[in-house]
């Protein structure tokens, strides 16, 4: 049931967009994400860093979209988020010699360091590709096409996560033996 909570703001955004356009959808997304964060906080008594970053970007880019009546801001929010994630993972891995994914998930997934390194590289490449893809669609396509891309574009993260799961599963030790 937790996945319903994760997708609720996006569903609200798409419904509001079809009902009354990008500006209403942006306001609905901001409100729905704020409610989502409050519910997550009530359940977990904390918000993860990615939750905070996502909420802040939605509020900042949404407020700019509404205040300046310029849809480009909300359309570029995913590019900024993906770019920031790629930059953070890359800077940590190559600059500070820290593997953020391993630091966050290492206690839950006992994997060799080489596997963590490959996973992080895959996430960096994925985030860069998604940032570029969203940037191209946001820049060159209509708002209707961008919204459709956001709706049907969820195939990309789903395929990536399934691929990551299959890769990780090959490297997990079997505790039942």
């Amino acid at each position: 049931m937790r996945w319903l909570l994760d997708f609720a703001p996006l569903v609200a955004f798409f419904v509001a967009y079809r009902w009354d356009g990008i500006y209403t959808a942006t306001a609905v997304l901001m409100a729905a994400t704020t409610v989502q964060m409050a519910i997550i906080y009530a359940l977990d008594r904390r918000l993860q860093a990615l939750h905070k970053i996502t909420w802040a970007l939605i509020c900042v880019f949404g407020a700019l979209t509404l205040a300046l009546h310029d849809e480009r801001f909300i359309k570029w929010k995913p590019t900024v988020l993906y770019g920031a994630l790629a930059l953070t993972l890359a800077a940590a891995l190559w600059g500070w010699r820290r593997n953020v994914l391993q630091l966050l998930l290492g206690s839950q997934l006992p994997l060799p360091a080489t596997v963590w390194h490959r996973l992080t590289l895959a996430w960096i490449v994925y985030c860069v590709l998604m940032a570029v893809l969203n940037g191209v669609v946001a820049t060159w396509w209509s708002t209707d096409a961008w919204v459709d891309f956001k709706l049907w574009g969820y195939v990309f993260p789903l395929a990536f996560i399934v691929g990551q799961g299959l890769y990780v599963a090959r490297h997990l030790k079997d505790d039942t033996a």
Side-chain angles (χ1 to χ4, degrees), residues 37-177:
M37 293 301 125
I39 292 169
I40 290 171
Y41 185 81
L43 293 172
D44 298 342
R45 287 289 170 226
R46 69 192 248 345
L47 293 175
Q48 295 176 1
L50 190 56
H51 286 133
K52 294 174 188 175
I53 292 167
T54 300
W55 179 73
L57 286 174
I58 287 170
C59 288
V60 168
F61 281 76
L64 288 169
T65 297
L66 297 175
L68 300 174
H69 208 69
D70 188 342
E71 63 193 38
R72 289 178 294 178
F73 289 103
I74 200 65
K75 289 166 69 174
W76 277 88
K77 190 273 310 171
T79 295
V80 172
L81 178 61
Y82 279 122
L85 288 172
L87 187 60
T88 300
L89 290 171
L93 187 64
W94 294 309
W96 298 300
R97 304 281 187 233
R98 299 276 188 247
N99 190 313
V100 174
L101 293 181
Q102 186 175 8
L103 290 171
L104 292 174
L105 302 172
S107 64
Q108 300 164 3
L109 293 171
L111 298 169
T114 56
V115 173
W116 281 114
H117 186 78
R118 288 183 199 131
L119 287 172
T120 301
L121 291 177
W123 274 95
I124 292 168
V125 169
Y126 169 76
C127 287
V128 167
L129 289 175
M130 290 303 293
V132 168
L133 185 58
N134 185 78
V136 167
V137 174
T139 301
W140 299 105
W141 294 8
S142 70
T143 299
D144 282 343
W146 177 80
V147 170
D148 287 341
F149 166 74
K150 295 311 298 170
L151 177 61
W152 301 110
Y154 273 93
V155 168
F156 298 119
L158 186 60
F160 180 71
I161 290 170
V162 168
Q164 292 278 291
L166 293 172
Y167 178 71
V168 166
R170 294 186 338 198
H171 297 284
L172 289 174
K173 294 181 174 109
D174 186 7
D175 292 337
T176 59

